[in-house]
Amino acid sequence: MKKIFAMLAAILLCGSMMVSCNKDDNTPTTPTTNNPTKADMVGTWEGSFQGNTTIENVAENYTINWVLTLNAEGSNTVGSLKYNATINGYEDLAHEVVVNDYYVRQNTDIGRICLTGNHPAGILEDMIDFDIDLSAKTLKGTLMVHTGGEDGVTIGGATTLNKK
Protein backbone atom coordinates (compact mmCIF):
# COMPACT_ATOMS: atom_id res chain seq x y z
CA MET A 1 0.00 0.00 0.00
CA LYS A 2 2.91 2.30 0.80
CA LYS A 3 4.37 1.67 -2.66
CA ILE A 4 1.07 2.62 -4.39
CA PHE A 5 0.77 5.80 -2.32
CA ALA A 6 4.42 6.72 -3.04
CA MET A 7 3.91 6.03 -6.75
CA LEU A 8 0.77 8.23 -6.90
CA ALA A 9 2.61 11.04 -5.09
CA ALA A 10 5.51 10.78 -7.57
CA ILE A 11 3.11 10.86 -10.55
CA LEU A 12 1.30 13.90 -9.17
CA LEU A 13 4.61 15.66 -8.49
CA CYS A 14 5.95 14.96 -11.98
CA GLY A 15 2.62 15.89 -13.55
CA SER A 16 2.53 19.24 -11.77
CA MET A 17 6.05 20.01 -13.02
CA MET A 18 4.99 19.43 -16.61
CA VAL A 19 2.20 22.02 -16.44
CA SER A 20 3.44 25.33 -17.76
CA CYS A 21 2.36 28.74 -16.63
CA ASN A 22 2.08 31.70 -18.93
CA LYS A 23 4.27 34.64 -18.10
CA ASP A 24 2.13 37.57 -16.95
CA ASP A 25 1.96 40.42 -19.40
CA ASN A 26 3.06 43.43 -17.38
CA THR A 27 2.18 45.98 -20.07
CA PRO A 28 -0.56 48.28 -18.83
CA THR A 29 -3.82 48.11 -20.70
CA THR A 30 -5.22 51.26 -22.17
CA PRO A 31 -8.73 51.89 -20.90
CA THR A 32 -11.45 52.16 -23.52
CA THR A 33 -12.68 55.42 -22.02
CA ASN A 34 -11.00 58.67 -21.14
CA ASN A 35 -13.13 58.64 -17.97
CA PRO A 36 -15.14 61.83 -18.45
CA THR A 37 -17.29 63.09 -15.60
CA LYS A 38 -20.26 65.42 -15.40
CA ALA A 39 -17.85 68.15 -14.26
CA ASP A 40 -15.93 67.73 -17.56
CA MET A 41 -19.09 68.69 -19.45
CA VAL A 42 -19.47 72.00 -17.59
CA GLY A 43 -18.78 75.06 -19.73
CA THR A 44 -19.67 76.62 -23.05
CA TRP A 45 -19.34 74.52 -26.20
CA GLU A 46 -19.60 75.97 -29.71
CA GLY A 47 -19.73 74.48 -33.18
CA SER A 48 -21.36 74.76 -36.56
CA PHE A 49 -22.74 72.56 -39.31
CA GLN A 50 -22.83 73.49 -43.00
CA GLY A 51 -24.95 71.68 -45.53
CA ASN A 52 -27.45 72.01 -48.31
CA THR A 53 -31.11 71.18 -48.66
CA THR A 54 -33.88 71.56 -51.20
CA ILE A 55 -36.60 74.13 -50.55
CA GLU A 56 -39.39 74.40 -53.12
CA ASN A 57 -37.29 72.44 -55.63
CA VAL A 58 -34.33 74.80 -55.25
CA ALA A 59 -31.02 73.71 -53.71
CA GLU A 60 -30.07 75.99 -50.82
CA ASN A 61 -26.91 76.15 -48.69
CA TYR A 62 -27.19 76.70 -44.96
CA THR A 63 -25.15 77.05 -41.78
CA ILE A 64 -26.25 76.28 -38.23
CA ASN A 65 -24.22 77.71 -35.36
CA TRP A 66 -24.72 75.92 -32.03
CA VAL A 67 -23.91 77.06 -28.48
CA LEU A 68 -24.35 74.56 -25.64
CA THR A 69 -23.95 75.95 -22.13
CA LEU A 70 -23.81 73.53 -19.20
CA ASN A 71 -23.61 75.00 -15.71
CA ALA A 72 -22.02 73.44 -12.65
CA GLU A 73 -24.16 71.62 -10.12
CA GLY A 74 -25.76 74.03 -7.67
CA SER A 75 -26.18 76.80 -10.28
CA ASN A 76 -29.53 78.54 -10.71
CA THR A 77 -29.99 76.92 -14.14
CA VAL A 78 -28.76 73.66 -15.62
CA GLY A 79 -27.95 75.04 -19.05
CA SER A 80 -29.20 75.87 -22.53
CA LEU A 81 -28.84 74.91 -26.17
CA LYS A 82 -29.01 77.75 -28.70
CA TYR A 83 -28.85 77.71 -32.46
CA ASN A 84 -28.86 80.22 -35.27
CA ALA A 85 -29.58 78.79 -38.72
CA THR A 86 -28.84 80.84 -41.82
CA ILE A 87 -30.36 79.55 -45.05
CA ASN A 88 -29.43 81.52 -48.15
CA GLY A 89 -32.34 83.66 -49.27
CA TYR A 90 -34.46 83.05 -46.14
CA GLU A 91 -34.89 84.66 -42.77
CA ASP A 92 -32.52 83.36 -40.10
CA LEU A 93 -33.92 80.96 -37.51
CA ALA A 94 -32.77 81.37 -33.92
CA HIS A 95 -33.97 79.53 -30.84
CA GLU A 96 -32.85 78.63 -27.35
CA VAL A 97 -34.09 75.68 -25.31
CA VAL A 98 -33.53 74.73 -21.70
CA VAL A 99 -31.25 71.86 -20.75
CA ASN A 100 -32.95 70.28 -17.75
CA ASP A 101 -30.29 67.61 -17.11
CA TYR A 102 -26.95 66.37 -18.39
CA TYR A 103 -24.71 63.50 -17.40
CA VAL A 104 -22.12 60.97 -18.57
CA ARG A 105 -23.54 57.54 -19.31
CA GLN A 106 -22.04 54.99 -16.93
CA ASN A 107 -18.71 53.41 -18.01
CA THR A 108 -18.68 55.24 -21.36
CA ASP A 109 -17.30 58.30 -23.12
CA ILE A 110 -20.85 59.36 -23.95
CA GLY A 111 -22.50 62.40 -22.44
CA ARG A 112 -26.21 63.09 -22.70
CA ILE A 113 -28.23 66.28 -22.47
CA CYS A 114 -31.97 66.29 -21.78
CA LEU A 115 -34.01 69.14 -23.23
CA THR A 116 -37.34 70.77 -22.45
CA GLY A 117 -39.34 72.97 -24.78
CA ASN A 118 -37.44 71.76 -27.81
CA HIS A 119 -40.39 71.08 -30.14
CA PRO A 120 -41.39 74.72 -30.81
CA ALA A 121 -37.70 75.38 -31.50
CA GLY A 122 -37.68 72.55 -34.05
CA ILE A 123 -35.01 70.44 -32.31
CA LEU A 124 -35.90 66.85 -33.11
CA GLU A 125 -34.66 64.97 -30.03
CA ASP A 126 -35.52 65.24 -26.34
CA MET A 127 -32.17 63.66 -25.47
CA ILE A 128 -28.96 64.13 -27.43
CA ASP A 129 -25.86 61.99 -26.93
CA PHE A 130 -22.32 63.27 -27.44
CA ASP A 131 -19.01 61.43 -27.72
CA ILE A 132 -16.69 63.15 -25.26
CA ASP A 133 -13.00 63.58 -26.08
CA LEU A 134 -11.28 65.19 -23.10
CA SER A 135 -7.89 65.55 -24.80
CA ALA A 136 -9.39 67.42 -27.77
CA LYS A 137 -11.98 69.20 -25.58
CA THR A 138 -14.78 68.24 -27.96
CA LEU A 139 -18.30 66.90 -27.86
CA LYS A 140 -19.47 65.16 -31.05
CA GLY A 141 -23.14 64.49 -31.67
CA THR A 142 -25.97 64.77 -34.16
CA LEU A 143 -27.80 68.09 -33.88
CA MET A 144 -30.80 68.56 -36.15
CA VAL A 145 -33.62 71.07 -36.54
CA HIS A 146 -36.90 70.93 -38.44
CA THR A 147 -37.58 74.41 -39.83
CA GLY A 148 -41.29 74.17 -39.10
CA GLY A 149 -44.62 73.29 -40.60
CA GLU A 150 -45.58 70.89 -43.30
CA ASP A 151 -43.37 72.64 -45.84
CA GLY A 152 -40.37 72.78 -43.51
CA VAL A 153 -37.14 70.93 -44.01
CA THR A 154 -34.87 69.11 -41.61
CA ILE A 155 -31.34 70.48 -41.46
CA GLY A 156 -28.23 69.68 -39.47
CA GLY A 157 -26.20 66.57 -38.82
CA ALA A 158 -23.04 65.30 -37.13
CA THR A 159 -21.56 68.31 -35.34
CA THR A 160 -18.42 68.85 -33.29
CA LEU A 161 -18.68 71.30 -30.41
CA ASN A 162 -15.45 72.76 -29.04
CA LYS A 163 -15.06 73.92 -25.45
CA LYS A 164 -14.58 77.66 -25.10
Side-chain angles (χ1 to χ4, degrees):
M1 189 74 166
K2 285 185 179 181
K3 285 185 179 184
I4 293 175
F5 181 71
M7 190 180 283
L8 283 174
I11 291 172
L12 287 174
L13 181 64
C14 290
S16 66
M17 290 181 164
M18 292 186 168
V19 175
S20 68
C21 298
N22 291 334
K23 183 179 176 184
D24 289 339
D25 185 7
N26 291 331
T27 56
T29 58
T30 305
T32 57
T33 72
N34 55 46
N35 299 317
T37 65
K38 184 173 183 173
D40 293 320
M41 293 179 70
V42 171
T44 300
W45 302 82
E46 297 178 355
S48 63
F49 182 88
Q50 296 179 337
N52 56 50
T53 189
T54 302
I55 301 174
E56 297 176 358
N57 296 322
V58 177
E60 300 289 350
N61 295 323
Y62 66 88
T63 301
I64 303 176
N65 295 308
W66 296 93
V67 178
L68 173 63
T69 303
L70 301 173
N71 299 319
E73 288 192 74
S75 299
N76 290 336
T77 61
V78 176
S80 65
L81 178 62
K82 300 177 191 177
Y83 73 86
N84 183 353
T86 303
I87 302 173
N88 294 345
Y90 292 88
E91 183 178 328
D92 288 359
L93 300 172
H95 286 284
E96 178 177 1
V97 296
V98 173
V99 173
N100 63 350
D101 193 14
Y102 67 95
Y103 52 90
V104 176
R105 293 176 57 197
Q106 189 173 2
N107 300 321
T108 70
D109 291 340
I110 299 172
R112 175 176 283 170
I113 63 170
C114 303
L115 307 173
T116 55
N118 61 329
H119 296 291
I123 297 173
L124 297 178
E125 301 293 331
D126 294 330
M127 290 186 274
I128 302 171
D129 289 344
F130 293 94
D131 292 328
I132 302 170
D133 185 338
L134 294 178
S135 61
K137 296 183 180 178
T138 60
L139 299 177
K140 294 181 181 179
T142 302
L143 298 167
M144 299 182 74
V145 172
H146 187 72
T147 61
E150 207 173 282
D151 298 330
V153 294
T154 300
I155 57 176
T159 304
T160 300
L161 302 178
N162 298 293
K163 193 166 192 176
K164 296 296 165 194

